[in-house]
Amino acid sequence: MLSLLAAVAGLALPQLALGGEYSSASSYKVQTPPLTTDWTYNVGTDPWTEYPRPQLVRDRWQSLNGIWSYKNASASDLHRVPSGDLGQAIMIPSCIESALSGVMTPLDEQGNGNVKYSWFTTTFDVPSDWKEDDVVINFGAADWEATVFVNGKEAGFHRGGWTRFSIDITKHLKKHGQNELAVFVYDPTDSDEIVISVGKQTLRPDHIFYTPCSGIWGSVFIEPVPKAHIAQLDVSGDMHGKLTIKAHSSNGKSAPVHVHVYDPSNNIVASGSGTSDEDFVVRVGNPDLWSPEHPHLYDIKVKFGDDEVKSYTGFRTIEKGEVEGVVRPLLNGEFYLAFGPLDQGYWPDGLLTPPNREAMVYDLQVLKELGFNMVRKHIKVEPDLFYRACDEMGLLVMQDMPSMRPNINKIPSESEQEEFTRQLVKLVETHKSFPSIYTWVIYNEGWGQRPNAPESKLVPIVRELDPTRLINAVTGWHDSGYGDYHDNHHYSMPQCGTPFYSIPSSPYDPKRIGFQGEFGGVSTNTSMEHIWNVPKSFANINMTYEIDETIEVWNERAHEILDALRDQIQRYSCSGGVYTQTTDVEGEMNGLITYDRRLKRYDPAQWQRDIQALYDAAASRGGARIGSSRSPITAAKQWVSSLWYINTHVLRGLGF
């Protein structure tokens, strides 16, 4: 069995040659963004060659990433499907507004120049050994609505800019010769027509809101499948070795499903069978449990008729419970203090799309080396390979639902709220098998939150979809008492699980987990070569909560802020926190590193000590021993796991 672990750590699975490209490919050129990274001019024209969907892997596939053809459009153009070269080269996956797209549509201060409607085209050939198979096309993400045409015929439609989708295109294909693919995308960001889940995107970037992302910004690939195949695979392993599996069939007809579970040495450790479209259980005896200190994963092979796919899981249990009289988050039965940064995942050259996997993983490596064991993925959804990397490296993920725009003059309508709910359901359904995700976040600071506590209905929906994780109904304020967390935001000093709270936060609720959803946010003066060079953006830098004159002063302030959190963990009921933030983003300058990822503000030794002090404070209150305070047995397990990780990912990647 081809190791999935090696495949998604930078080693691409075998794929077939790309289809044809239009003549506009030769005119593609990376544009000059307001700020570059070390990856900007090294991406090339064959981006993201790794297999894009690590939890439902097939050996045969063909990437359609690369240079496509693009043109701006209007609403009426949907009924006029173009053919041939559209005249402008664009690299997929990329936001149209990004430099890496080759287009970089400019915005003025009134938001003019945005791309509401657009056409994308490319061509591809169907490999000769796929002739007897059906063919499915897969999109990582397209913002906001995508209508897909193959050879001039409509093949499918998807709404939602944050989650992947698949369309069976078999009946529209030419099995011999070139096929034309055309995609019409509608993006109503900041439109008066409709309120949608935009996250941080806006047509008028300003401080904490950023350049929008239109078009196809996730990887595109095709693959051959049997007529009856697995459309989605849900896997979840708990600390007792119970592996729950559900294979969703493409045709809705029940059929046998057979499963083998493999350890990292490719030995079968469990097997079982069940029926498609129903949960069934396979048990693994004495599983090696997953945690941030020991991110142990098991490969899975699933057979459904003529379809065979690979996946993976980690065995861990996430719940809440009372420890020494305080309600706590539990990982594998122990109070586990999760601490990490607000992680926005924006890039100056790619916007929502990281330049490549190396760049994306770089951020996570910085965090892991400092001792963070968690990231809060802030009102954005990443490519699946991001979550796979967190699974491998050992980083818990607090996953936000991307917010509807925070506009006090436009409360979402009932129909818009229904669409938000549908998108929330889709987010959970498509991501609930990643072991690293431990909490779902529904609302951030009331953005797009209708009156009368809509979370009262949303929490039960999420709980039914995924009873294996915690739910943070409201992070920040407008808290009505639902979900597992009482989550407060307070800049710069924390107020976590304590008796003292300031408006707009509500007093700590001891029936729920005390959590500091955001705090910190301090910055320091940075030279121009590290700043997003847009006048309005750097004019808003002074809106940062606190700006220190030197990096030395900034680190001293960070020490004071983290020590305040340590005190609240030690004395009160604080069970974790989110420091703002991993990187600067456009005009928001409060990152551990600058937006270009070239300047690190932090003193590594100081931050490692201060973060370790948080874990030690939690351990003194009945928490798990994390980091340098963990037991010798746990340390030995982590050392063995690290050796296995290096062998699987690094040495194999170098050809050993």
Side-chain angles (χ1 to χ4, degrees):
M1 169 173 153
L2 176 63
S3 172
L4 178 64
L5 300 174
V8 295
L11 300 177
L13 285 166
Q15 62 163 309
L16 300 167
L18 294 173
E21 294 178 335
Y22 290 125
S23 60
S24 63
S26 62
S27 65
Y28 169 76
K29 180 182 178 181
V30 178
Q31 299 299 302
T32 302
L35 184 66
T36 65
T37 70
D38 288 342
W39 299 275
T40 303
Y41 299 108
N42 297 316
V43 171
T45 57
D46 184 20
W48 289 94
T49 57
E50 300 84 3
Y51 189 85
R53 193 186 55 209
Q55 288 196 316
L56 182 61
V57 178
R58 294 186 174 92
D59 288 341
R60 295 187 298 165
W61 67 293
Q62 176 176 309
S63 174
L64 297 187
N65 290 345
I67 308 305
W68 291 31
S69 180
Y70 156 81
K71 73 173 183 179
N72 203 348
S74 63
S76 60
D77 288 336
L78 174 61
H79 306 291
R80 296 189 289 268
V81 183
S83 178
D85 189 345
L86 303 183
Q88 171 125 35
I90 187 168
M91 187 164 71
I92 300 297
S94 291
C95 305
I96 298 171
E97 296 84 353
S98 73
L100 288 177
S101 73
V103 179
M104 203 170 76
T105 304
L107 293 171
D108 63 23
E109 290 195 5
Q110 286 71 48
N112 298 317
N114 71 297
V115 183
K116 184 178 288 188
Y117 303 97
S118 51
W119 274 113
F120 304 83
T121 61
T122 191
T123 62
F124 64 92
D125 295 330
V126 176
S128 58
D129 63 343
W130 294 13
K131 305 302 182 187
E132 303 304 317
D133 298 293
D134 284 1
V135 177
V136 170
I137 188 167
N138 306 281
F139 291 80
D143 197 1
W144 165 256
E145 292 181 351
T147 309
V148 179
F149 298 85
V150 176
N151 295 320
K153 304 295 183 182
E154 184 172 343
F157 169 83
H158 176 79
R159 177 180 292 123
W162 301 100
T163 51
R164 65 179 182 267
F165 60 98
S166 302
I167 298 171
D168 190 325
I169 59 174
T170 309
K171 66 181 180 181
H172 304 295
L173 287 175
K174 301 173 186 175
K175 291 298 179 81
H176 301 281
Q178 218 169 56
N179 291 273
E180 287 194 297
L181 173 64
V183 184
F184 183 82
V185 178
Y186 163 57
D187 181 4
T189 295
D190 279 0
S191 167
D192 291 332
E193 301 163 12
I194 186 173
V195 175
I196 64 171
S197 300
V198 293
K200 287 293 193 84
Q201 301 177 74
T202 179
L203 300 185
R204 292 165 287 279
D206 185 17
H207 190 45
I208 64 170
F209 299 103
Y210 319 131
T211 304
C213 177
S214 305
I216 302 169
W217 66 277
S219 288
V220 185
F221 69 103
I222 56 174
E223 60 185 340
V225 295
K227 290 192 179 300
H229 59 272
I230 298 173
Q232 178 179 318
L233 184 66
D234 302 335
V235 295
S236 178
D238 72 12
M239 63 184 289
H240 306 293
K242 178 183 176 183
L243 177 62
T244 303
I245 297 174
K246 185 175 184 179
H248 300 256
S249 63
S250 59
N251 59 7
K253 296 180 180 178
S254 296
V257 178
H258 305 285
V259 175
H260 295 303
V261 183
Y262 297 79
D263 66 15
S265 299
N266 208 29
N267 299 311
I268 296 177
V269 295
S271 298
S273 298
T275 302
S276 65
D277 304 297
E278 297 177 2
D279 286 344
F280 65 95
V281 172
V282 176
R283 295 192 179 274
V284 174
N286 192 29
D288 205 346
L289 301 185
W290 186 96
S291 70
E293 290 68 47
H294 185 62
H296 192 94
L297 300 174
Y298 290 80
D299 283 350
I300 301 171
K301 183 185 290 184
V302 182
K303 188 168 177 52
F304 168 71
D306 294 328
D307 195 20
E308 186 172 281
V309 300
K310 302 178 186 71
S311 190
Y312 71 94
T313 196
F315 289 91
R316 86 288 180 273
T317 296
I318 297 162
E319 56 194 337
K320 67 177 178 181
E322 193 169 297
V323 177
E324 297 184 358
V326 180
V327 176
R328 301 291 197 183
L330 308 180
L331 174 63
N332 299 328
E334 291 187 284
F335 162 34
Y336 191 91
L337 186 129
F339 182 65
L342 198 71
D343 195 68
Q344 311 235 36
Y346 274 76
W347 297 83
D349 42 19
L351 301 180
L352 290 186
T353 308
N356 54 28
R357 184 186 180 279
E358 177 190 353
M360 180 183 72
V361 172
Y362 172 82
D363 284 2
L364 300 178
Q365 290 170 333
V366 166
L367 302 178
K368 189 71 177 178
E369 288 166 5
L370 284 179
F372 290 108
N373 59 18
M374 179 268 283
V375 294
R376 177 182 165 202
K377 181 44 62 180
H378 188 40
I379 52 179
K380 182 199 175 188
V381 183
E382 293 286 359
D384 283 3
L385 291 174
F386 172 91
Y387 303 97
R388 173 66 210 210
C390 292
D391 292 341
E392 292 172 344
M393 296 171 64
L395 280 167
L396 292 166
V397 178
M398 178 172 272
Q399 177 62 53
D400 289 13
M401 172 61 193
S403 303
M404 292 183 279
R405 67 177 181 177
N407 186 339
I408 60 174
N409 298 316
K410 179 95 166 57
I411 297 173
S413 67
E414 289 187 11
S415 62
E416 290 164 345
Q417 178 66 36
E418 289 173 2
E419 184 60 35
F420 177 84
T421 302
R422 196 180 76 84
Q423 296 298 329
L424 173 63
V425 167
K426 184 71 172 177
L427 170 67
V428 174
E429 287 179 337
T430 55
H431 290 78
K432 65 181 181 179
S433 294
F434 290 107
S436 54
I437 296 178
Y438 82 109
T439 296
W440 302 111
V441 181
I442 298 176
Y443 284 111
N444 176 74
E445 296 182 349
W447 297 357
Q449 183 181 1
R450 282 166 56 88
N452 303 319
E455 63 272 20
S456 65
K457 297 179 181 178
L458 296 177
V459 167
I461 291 173
V462 174
R463 188 87 70 195
E464 183 176 359
L465 286 169
D466 182 12
T468 71
R469 289 180 175 86
L470 301 173
I471 300 172
N472 191 344
V474 175
T475 175
W477 40 83
H478 299 325
D479 178 30
S480 299
Y482 297 94
D484 299 309
Y485 291 85
H486 179 270
D487 181 336
N488 167 50
H489 293 184
H490 194 260
Y491 289 96
S492 297
M493 301 299 282
Q495 293 182 356
C496 181
T498 67
F500 41 89
Y501 278 83
S502 58
I503 296 173
S505 297
S506 55
Y508 166 61
D509 176 3
K511 299 186 297 299
R512 293 181 290 158
I513 297 165
F515 194 79
Q516 187 67 56
E518 294 180 26
F519 76 112
V522 300
S523 185
T524 185
N525 289 325
T526 303
S527 55
M528 279 299 301
E529 66 263 30
H530 300 296
I531 293 176
W532 180 250
N533 193 9
V534 173
K536 186 176 181 180
S537 293
F538 58 74
N540 287 335
I541 290 171
N542 61 3
M543 296 175 67
T544 303
Y545 304 102
E546 175 185 320
I547 299 178
D548 300 317
E549 284 297 320
T550 67
I551 285 181
E552 290 74 20
V553 173
W554 180 86
N555 274 287
E556 180 59 30
R557 282 289 293 131
H559 169 70
E560 293 173 356
I561 292 167
L562 293 179
D563 193 57
L565 186 70
R566 179 207 55 77
D567 181 68
Q568 291 167 23
I569 295 167
Q570 185 82 54
R571 298 172 58 200
Y572 300 111
S573 300
C574 183
S575 293
V578 176
Y579 188 90
T580 303
Q581 61 184 333
T582 304
T583 74
D584 298 343
V585 187
E586 300 194 5
E588 185 177 4
M589 290 186 56
N590 48 21
L592 295 163
I593 54 181
T594 52
Y595 196 22
D596 59 1
R597 276 72 171 175
R598 292 186 176 114
L599 176 64
K600 299 176 180 178
R601 292 188 173 97
Y602 57 82
D603 176 335
Q606 175 197 304
W607 276 77
Q608 289 164 358
R609 287 193 303 270
D610 287 342
I611 291 172
Q612 184 61 52
L614 305 181
Y615 302 145
D616 292 346
S620 73
R621 299 289 305 277
R625 294 194 172 274
I626 300 170
S628 61
S629 63
R630 66 197 187 282
S631 71
I633 294 175
T634 301
K637 281 186 175 182
Q638 184 177 5
W639 179 76
V640 172
S641 178
S642 298
L643 288 180
W644 166 80
Y645 182 92
I646 292 170
N647 172 64
T648 302
H649 301 277
V650 179
L651 297 182
R652 292 186 191 180
L654 295 174
F656 292 96

mmCIF file of all heavy atoms in Angstrom, residues 500-530:
data_model
loop_
_atom_site.group_PDB
_atom_site.id
_atom_site.type_symbol
_atom_site.label_atom_id
_atom_site.label_comp_id
_atom_site.label_asym_id
_atom_site.label_seq_id
_atom_site.Cartn_x
_atom_site.Cartn_y
_atom_site.Cartn_z
ATOM 1 N N PHE A 500 -13.280 38.962 37.127
ATOM 2 C CA PHE A 500 -13.315 40.339 36.620
ATOM 3 C C PHE A 500 -13.429 40.323 35.093
ATOM 4 O O PHE A 500 -12.623 39.741 34.389
ATOM 5 C CB PHE A 500 -12.076 41.126 37.058
ATOM 6 C CG PHE A 500 -10.786 40.366 36.987
ATOM 7 C CD1 PHE A 500 -10.011 40.353 35.825
ATOM 8 C CD2 PHE A 500 -10.325 39.660 38.087
ATOM 9 C CE1 PHE A 500 -8.814 39.656 35.764
ATOM 10 C CE2 PHE A 500 -9.130 38.956 38.023
ATOM 11 C CZ PHE A 500 -8.379 38.956 36.869
ATOM 12 N N TYR A 501 -14.476 40.937 34.604
ATOM 13 C CA TYR A 501 -14.738 41.030 33.174
ATOM 14 C C TYR A 501 -15.191 42.436 32.836
ATOM 15 O O TYR A 501 -15.861 43.098 33.618
ATOM 16 C CB TYR A 501 -15.819 40.031 32.735
ATOM 17 C CG TYR A 501 -15.272 38.646 32.517
ATOM 18 C CD1 TYR A 501 -15.098 37.782 33.582
ATOM 19 C CD2 TYR A 501 -14.899 38.216 31.249
ATOM 20 C CE1 TYR A 501 -14.577 36.520 33.400
ATOM 21 C CE2 TYR A 501 -14.379 36.958 31.045
ATOM 22 C CZ TYR A 501 -14.216 36.112 32.128
ATOM 23 O OH TYR A 501 -13.689 34.864 31.933
ATOM 24 N N SER A 502 -14.846 42.893 31.635
ATOM 25 C CA SER A 502 -15.264 44.213 31.185
ATOM 26 C C SER A 502 -16.232 44.075 30.018
ATOM 27 O O SER A 502 -16.240 43.074 29.312
ATOM 28 C CB SER A 502 -14.046 45.036 30.763
ATOM 29 O OG SER A 502 -13.328 44.379 29.735
ATOM 30 N N ILE A 503 -17.045 45.096 29.814
ATOM 31 C CA ILE A 503 -17.989 45.112 28.698
ATOM 32 C C ILE A 503 -17.188 45.054 27.393
ATOM 33 O O ILE A 503 -16.155 45.687 27.276
ATOM 34 C CB ILE A 503 -18.838 46.403 28.765
ATOM 35 C CG1 ILE A 503 -19.682 46.377 30.055
ATOM 36 C CG2 ILE A 503 -19.726 46.565 27.553
ATOM 37 C CD1 ILE A 503 -20.442 47.666 30.318
ATOM 38 N N PRO A 504 -17.634 44.292 26.343
ATOM 39 C CA PRO A 504 -18.948 43.674 26.211
ATOM 40 C C PRO A 504 -19.020 42.219 26.657
ATOM 41 O O PRO A 504 -19.990 41.518 26.344
ATOM 42 C CB PRO A 504 -19.179 43.757 24.694
ATOM 43 C CG PRO A 504 -17.823 43.570 24.111
ATOM 44 C CD PRO A 504 -16.890 44.256 25.058
ATOM 45 N N SER A 505 -17.991 41.700 27.339
ATOM 46 C CA SER A 505 -18.018 40.310 27.761
ATOM 47 C C SER A 505 -18.970 40.123 28.937
ATOM 48 O O SER A 505 -19.182 41.029 29.738
ATOM 49 C CB SER A 505 -16.614 39.858 28.151
ATOM 50 O OG SER A 505 -15.755 39.928 27.038
ATOM 51 N N SER A 506 -19.524 38.927 29.031
ATOM 52 C CA SER A 506 -20.408 38.597 30.151
ATOM 53 C C SER A 506 -19.598 37.903 31.242
ATOM 54 O O SER A 506 -18.525 37.361 30.976
ATOM 55 C CB SER A 506 -21.537 37.684 29.664
ATOM 56 O OG SER A 506 -21.012 36.525 29.031
ATOM 57 N N PRO A 507 -20.068 37.915 32.493
ATOM 58 C CA PRO A 507 -19.338 37.262 33.585
ATOM 59 C C PRO A 507 -19.100 35.782 33.285
ATOM 60 O O PRO A 507 -19.896 35.125 32.618
ATOM 61 C CB PRO A 507 -20.272 37.455 34.778
ATOM 62 C CG PRO A 507 -21.109 38.631 34.429
ATOM 63 C CD PRO A 507 -21.294 38.572 32.947
ATOM 64 N N TYR A 508 -17.980 35.273 33.762
ATOM 65 C CA TYR A 508 -17.614 33.876 33.545
ATOM 66 C C TYR A 508 -18.717 32.940 34.013
ATOM 67 O O TYR A 508 -19.255 33.089 35.108
ATOM 68 C CB TYR A 508 -16.300 33.572 34.268
ATOM 69 C CG TYR A 508 -16.007 32.093 34.377
ATOM 70 C CD1 TYR A 508 -15.860 31.306 33.235
ATOM 71 C CD2 TYR A 508 -15.902 31.490 35.622
ATOM 72 C CE1 TYR A 508 -15.598 29.943 33.343
ATOM 73 C CE2 TYR A 508 -15.640 30.128 35.744
ATOM 74 C CZ TYR A 508 -15.484 29.361 34.597
ATOM 75 O OH TYR A 508 -15.243 28.013 34.697
ATOM 76 N N ASP A 509 -19.030 31.960 33.168
ATOM 77 C CA ASP A 509 -20.062 30.966 33.442
ATOM 78 C C ASP A 509 -19.379 29.670 33.879
ATOM 79 O O ASP A 509 -18.797 28.963 33.042
ATOM 80 C CB ASP A 509 -20.891 30.734 32.177
ATOM 81 C CG ASP A 509 -21.927 29.637 32.341
ATOM 82 O OD1 ASP A 509 -22.053 29.091 33.457
ATOM 83 O OD2 ASP A 509 -22.602 29.314 31.338
ATOM 84 N N PRO A 510 -19.404 29.307 35.158
ATOM 85 C CA PRO A 510 -18.670 28.119 35.639
ATOM 86 C C PRO A 510 -19.221 26.796 35.130
ATOM 87 O O PRO A 510 -18.587 25.759 35.332
ATOM 88 C CB PRO A 510 -18.798 28.232 37.163
ATOM 89 C CG PRO A 510 -20.024 29.044 37.387
ATOM 90 C CD PRO A 510 -20.085 30.020 36.248
ATOM 91 N N LYS A 511 -20.379 26.815 34.467
ATOM 92 C CA LYS A 511 -20.923 25.564 33.917
ATOM 93 C C LYS A 511 -20.261 25.203 32.585
ATOM 94 O O LYS A 511 -20.502 24.142 32.040
ATOM 95 C CB LYS A 511 -22.436 25.684 33.718
ATOM 96 C CG LYS A 511 -23.226 25.940 35.004
ATOM 97 C CD LYS A 511 -24.718 25.893 34.765
ATOM 98 C CE LYS A 511 -25.198 26.977 33.814
ATOM 99 N NZ LYS A 511 -24.930 28.353 34.310
ATOM 100 N N ARG A 512 -19.449 26.152 32.064
ATOM 101 C CA ARG A 512 -18.783 25.911 30.779
ATOM 102 C C ARG A 512 -17.276 26.148 30.910
ATOM 103 O O ARG A 512 -16.787 26.589 31.953
ATOM 104 C CB ARG A 512 -19.389 26.823 29.710
ATOM 105 C CG ARG A 512 -20.831 26.481 29.375
ATOM 106 C CD ARG A 512 -21.390 27.396 28.292
ATOM 107 N NE ARG A 512 -21.574 28.748 28.772
ATOM 108 C CZ ARG A 512 -21.629 29.823 27.984
ATOM 109 N NH1 ARG A 512 -21.479 29.699 26.675
ATOM 110 N NH2 ARG A 512 -21.810 31.019 28.503
ATOM 111 N N ILE A 513 -16.563 25.855 29.839
ATOM 112 C CA ILE A 513 -15.107 25.966 29.827
ATOM 113 C C ILE A 513 -14.706 27.441 29.726
ATOM 114 O O ILE A 513 -15.124 28.141 28.806
ATOM 115 C CB ILE A 513 -14.520 25.185 28.629
ATOM 116 C CG1 ILE A 513 -14.836 23.690 28.749
ATOM 117 C CG2 ILE A 513 -13.020 25.421 28.499
ATOM 118 C CD1 ILE A 513 -14.616 22.920 27.456
ATOM 119 N N GLY A 514 -13.896 27.915 30.665
ATOM 120 C CA GLY A 514 -13.373 29.272 30.599
ATOM 121 C C GLY A 514 -12.247 29.358 29.581
ATOM 122 O O GLY A 514 -11.259 28.619 29.676
ATOM 123 N N PHE A 515 -12.384 30.261 28.618
ATOM 124 C CA PHE A 515 -11.433 30.292 27.507
ATOM 125 C C PHE A 515 -11.184 31.726 27.063
ATOM 126 O O PHE A 515 -12.108 32.550 27.028
ATOM 127 C CB PHE A 515 -11.987 29.474 26.331
ATOM 128 C CG PHE A 515 -10.975 29.161 25.263
ATOM 129 C CD1 PHE A 515 -10.054 28.137 25.435
ATOM 130 C CD2 PHE A 515 -10.953 29.885 24.083
ATOM 131 C CE1 PHE A 515 -9.116 27.846 24.456
ATOM 132 C CE2 PHE A 515 -10.020 29.606 23.096
ATOM 133 C CZ PHE A 515 -9.101 28.582 23.282
ATOM 134 N N GLN A 516 -9.926 32.035 26.739
ATOM 135 C CA GLN A 516 -9.546 33.360 26.241
ATOM 136 C C GLN A 516 -9.443 33.288 24.723
ATOM 137 O O GLN A 516 -8.411 32.946 24.167
ATOM 138 C CB GLN A 516 -8.208 33.786 26.843
ATOM 139 C CG GLN A 516 -7.810 35.208 26.517
ATOM 140 C CD GLN A 516 -8.737 36.217 27.167
ATOM 141 O OE1 GLN A 516 -8.927 36.214 28.377
ATOM 142 N NE2 GLN A 516 -9.326 37.087 26.360
ATOM 143 N N GLY A 517 -10.557 33.618 24.033
ATOM 144 C CA GLY A 517 -10.635 33.410 22.587
ATOM 145 C C GLY A 517 -9.716 34.284 21.779
ATOM 146 O O GLY A 517 -9.290 33.903 20.688
ATOM 147 N N GLU A 518 -9.381 35.497 22.276
ATOM 148 C CA GLU A 518 -8.397 36.376 21.653
ATOM 149 C C GLU A 518 -7.824 37.283 22.731
ATOM 150 O O GLU A 518 -8.545 37.754 23.613
ATOM 151 C CB GLU A 518 -9.023 37.240 20.534
ATOM 152 C CG GLU A 518 -9.517 36.471 19.331
ATOM 153 C CD GLU A 518 -10.126 37.380 18.271
ATOM 154 O OE1 GLU A 518 -9.742 38.568 18.209
ATOM 155 O OE2 GLU A 518 -10.997 36.905 17.524
ATOM 156 N N PHE A 519 -6.529 37.534 22.651
ATOM 157 C CA PHE A 519 -5.875 38.513 23.517
ATOM 158 C C PHE A 519 -4.507 38.812 22.917
ATOM 159 O O PHE A 519 -4.111 38.233 21.906
ATOM 160 C CB PHE A 519 -5.757 38.004 24.963
ATOM 161 C CG PHE A 519 -4.680 36.966 25.187
ATOM 162 C CD1 PHE A 519 -3.567 37.265 25.957
ATOM 163 C CD2 PHE A 519 -4.787 35.689 24.651
ATOM 164 C CE1 PHE A 519 -2.578 36.321 26.179
ATOM 165 C CE2 PHE A 519 -3.813 34.732 24.868
ATOM 166 C CZ PHE A 519 -2.699 35.045 25.636
ATOM 167 N N GLY A 520 -3.772 39.744 23.528
ATOM 168 C CA GLY A 520 -2.465 40.129 22.982
ATOM 169 C C GLY A 520 -2.640 41.271 21.995
ATOM 170 O O GLY A 520 -3.084 42.348 22.338
ATOM 171 N N GLY A 521 -2.264 41.001 20.736
ATOM 172 C CA GLY A 521 -2.484 41.974 19.678
ATOM 173 C C GLY A 521 -1.518 43.138 19.660
ATOM 174 O O GLY A 521 -1.762 44.128 18.983
ATOM 175 N N VAL A 522 -0.411 43.049 20.403
ATOM 176 C CA VAL A 522 0.541 44.167 20.410
ATOM 177 C C VAL A 522 1.476 44.068 19.204
ATOM 178 O O VAL A 522 1.657 42.996 18.623
ATOM 179 C CB VAL A 522 1.360 44.209 21.712
ATOM 180 C CG1 VAL A 522 0.440 44.375 22.911
ATOM 181 C CG2 VAL A 522 2.207 42.944 21.860
ATOM 182 N N SER A 523 2.054 45.187 18.836
ATOM 183 C CA SER A 523 2.903 45.235 17.653
ATOM 184 C C SER A 523 4.161 46.035 17.941
ATOM 185 O O SER A 523 4.356 46.554 19.041
ATOM 186 C CB SER A 523 2.144 45.850 16.474
ATOM 187 O OG SER A 523 2.915 45.794 15.285
ATOM 188 N N THR A 524 5.004 46.097 16.934
ATOM 189 C CA THR A 524 6.208 46.908 17.020
ATOM 190 C C THR A 524 6.467 47.554 15.670
ATOM 191 O O THR A 524 5.999 47.062 14.638
ATOM 192 C CB THR A 524 7.427 46.057 17.433
ATOM 193 O OG1 THR A 524 8.561 46.912 17.611
ATOM 194 C CG2 THR A 524 7.763 45.028 16.379
ATOM 195 N N ASN A 525 7.184 48.657 15.680
ATOM 196 C CA ASN A 525 7.502 49.330 14.427
ATOM 197 C C ASN A 525 8.274 48.391 13.499
ATOM 198 O O ASN A 525 9.172 47.673 13.934
ATOM 199 C CB ASN A 525 8.332 50.582 14.693
ATOM 200 C CG ASN A 525 7.507 51.670 15.339
ATOM 201 O OD1 ASN A 525 6.329 51.805 15.046
ATOM 202 N ND2 ASN A 525 8.110 52.448 16.222
ATOM 203 N N THR A 526 7.924 48.420 12.232
ATOM 204 C CA THR A 526 8.520 47.530 11.236
ATOM 205 C C THR A 526 8.944 48.357 10.035
ATOM 206 O O THR A 526 8.220 49.268 9.619
ATOM 207 C CB THR A 526 7.504 46.452 10.797
ATOM 208 O OG1 THR A 526 7.070 45.737 11.960
ATOM 209 C CG2 THR A 526 8.126 45.486 9.823
ATOM 210 N N SER A 527 10.073 48.017 9.452
ATOM 211 C CA SER A 527 10.561 48.765 8.292
ATOM 212 C C SER A 527 9.686 48.491 7.075
ATOM 213 O O SER A 527 9.016 47.463 6.971
ATOM 214 C CB SER A 527 12.015 48.398 7.998
ATOM 215 O OG SER A 527 12.156 46.996 7.831
ATOM 216 N N MET A 528 9.716 49.411 6.124
ATOM 217 C CA MET A 528 8.801 49.391 4.991
ATOM 218 C C MET A 528 8.903 48.130 4.145
ATOM 219 O O MET A 528 7.922 47.697 3.547
ATOM 220 C CB MET A 528 9.037 50.613 4.103
ATOM 221 C CG MET A 528 8.375 51.886 4.608
ATOM 222 S SD MET A 528 6.573 51.752 4.729
ATOM 223 C CE MET A 528 6.146 51.381 3.025
ATOM 224 N N GLU A 529 10.087 47.507 4.100
ATOM 225 C CA GLU A 529 10.209 46.330 3.225
ATOM 226 C C GLU A 529 9.396 45.136 3.715
ATOM 227 O O GLU A 529 9.222 44.163 2.985
ATOM 228 C CB GLU A 529 11.680 45.923 3.057
ATOM 229 C CG GLU A 529 12.363 45.420 4.312
ATOM 230 C CD GLU A 529 13.156 46.507 5.000
ATOM 231 O OE1 GLU A 529 12.767 47.691 4.899
ATOM 232 O OE2 GLU A 529 14.169 46.170 5.657
ATOM 233 N N HIS A 530 8.876 45.217 4.949
ATOM 234 C CA HIS A 530 8.056 44.126 5.488
ATOM 235 C C HIS A 530 6.571 44.501 5.583
ATOM 236 O O HIS A 530 5.787 43.770 6.196
ATOM 237 C CB HIS A 530 8.558 43.723 6.871
ATOM 238 C CG HIS A 530 9.979 43.256 6.884
ATOM 239 N ND1 HIS A 530 10.394 42.128 6.217
ATOM 240 C CD2 HIS A 530 11.086 43.793 7.471
ATOM 241 C CE1 HIS A 530 11.692 41.968 6.413
ATOM 242 N NE2 HIS A 530 12.133 42.966 7.157
#
